[in-house]
Amino acid sequence: MIVLKSAREIDIMRKACQISAEALKIAGEAVKEGVSTWEIDRIAYEYIKKQGAEPNFLNYNGYPATACISINDEIIHGIPSKNRILHRGDIVSIDLGAKIDGYNGDNAATFAVGEISDEAKRLCETTEESLYKGIEMAVAGGRLGDIGYAVQSYCEDRGFSVVREYTGHGVGTHLHEDPSVPNYGTPGRGVRLLPGMTIAIEPMITLGKAAINVMPDGWTVKTKDGSLAAHYEHTIVVTSNGPVILTKI
């Protein structure tokens, strides 16, 4: 069931989303050569708690950390560890969120460790740009397929692949709500977009093929062919005047 949010609820969500966005920014600033993913996770945890919020990924379905931190060919759900040390040339996707006053925020971005390859830069730039192409289509009266098609066509036209097994989602009193928001689709098809819908749009794009493998830890998802992956996400609200990004600082 899709829950449309009132103006009061959106105001609360905006607070959760701003904390989420600030935590992501601070975590991204910690992405440097020689730093462990555990240390980045600790920084994000302490910031969220300091704001009086809760890290909504921690213990979600048993997930053991504040942030998902995925390196290079890891698409999503990489578990932070003291043994995962960042190296020059890595790309690092960080996905995290915060919950306050009963409402959630959720966002993600991919960060470079020093100088990265031209193909890695192009992957990250295209993935981020595709996120905004998708957001542009989140207009009242439109369809979910419009969003997915915008992401898919933008990435595939540039030679990249769209992961199919994982999608964006609704956000509200639960971290994951209806509807699912695929990064692929057909224009004019799918659920109609209405004012008050709050959704997370999150392209997960690979440099090679779209096939995935889930690692033995049950969480980490990698590209099957070992190619690089990037991940960007914003939580937005559909309004009668167009989409509003709640996780934009």
Side-chain angles (χ1 to χ4, degrees):
M1 181 179 69
I2 298 172
V3 179
L4 302 181
K5 310 303 188 299
S6 67
R8 182 190 68 83
E9 289 175 304
I10 291 167
D11 282 343
I12 299 171
M13 278 195 66
R14 185 174 282 107
K15 183 178 180 182
C17 286
Q18 285 299 296
I19 295 170
S20 300
E22 290 286 354
L24 180 62
K25 178 177 182 290
I26 290 167
E29 290 169 350
V31 170
K32 296 177 182 177
E33 184 177 8
V35 173
S36 73
T37 56
W38 179 90
E39 176 64 14
I40 295 169
D41 188 75
R42 183 191 65 80
I43 289 168
Y45 173 84
E46 291 183 354
Y47 178 81
I48 292 170
K49 294 291 286 186
K50 188 175 179 180
Q51 308 313 305
E54 294 296 327
N56 52 16
F57 285 22
L58 183 61
N59 299 319
Y60 183 79
N61 292 333
Y63 186 73
T66 291
C68 298
I69 306 180
S70 307
I71 304 172
N72 294 332
D73 63 337
E74 296 173 350
I75 304 167
I76 50 172
H77 301 165
I79 300 173
S81 168
K82 291 181 180 180
N83 297 322
R84 299 299 309 279
I85 305 299
L86 302 184
H87 301 284
R88 182 179 297 274
D90 287 341
I91 59 172
V92 183
S93 297
I94 302 176
D95 185 7
L96 57 75
K99 184 173 187 176
I100 194 166
D101 297 333
Y103 287 83
N104 290 275
D106 190 6
N107 55 182
T110 302
F111 302 91
V113 183
E115 191 65 26
I116 60 175
S117 68
D118 288 343
E119 63 180 9
K121 285 180 185 176
R122 196 166 70 89
L123 170 66
C124 293
E125 289 169 357
T126 299
T127 306
E128 184 173 19
E129 288 162 1
S130 77
L131 168 61
Y132 288 100
K133 294 295 183 182
I135 291 171
E136 286 175 7
M137 302 308 296
V139 295
R143 300 278 186 173
L144 273 180
D146 302 338
I147 297 173
Y149 179 77
V151 172
Q152 178 185 8
S153 60
Y154 191 82
C155 293
E156 291 182 348
D157 285 353
R158 287 156 181 77
F160 300 104
S161 298
V162 177
V163 172
R164 295 298 204 274
E165 290 85 351
Y166 299 90
T167 70
H169 51 89
V171 186
T173 56
H174 295 86
L175 178 57
H176 293 98
E177 298 182 350
D178 290 333
S180 294
V181 184
N183 296 303
Y184 55 91
T186 302
R189 301 292 295 274
V191 171
R192 188 170 298 282
L193 303 172
L194 299 173
M197 288 179 66
T198 48
I199 57 175
I201 301 172
E202 51 177 320
M204 290 156 272
I205 308 300
T206 71
L207 187 62
K209 295 183 179 180
I212 67 165
N213 279 333
V214 179
M215 296 297 100
D217 62 21
W219 286 103
T220 308
V221 179
K222 291 189 177 187
T223 57
K224 192 170 186 178
D225 61 7
S227 63
L228 296 175
H231 180 200
Y232 286 82
E233 176 184 22
H234 273 308
T235 298
I236 68 130
V237 57
V238 178
T239 79
S240 56
N241 296 315
V244 175
I245 302 173
L246 299 177
T247 44
K248 189 171 184 177
I249 298 175

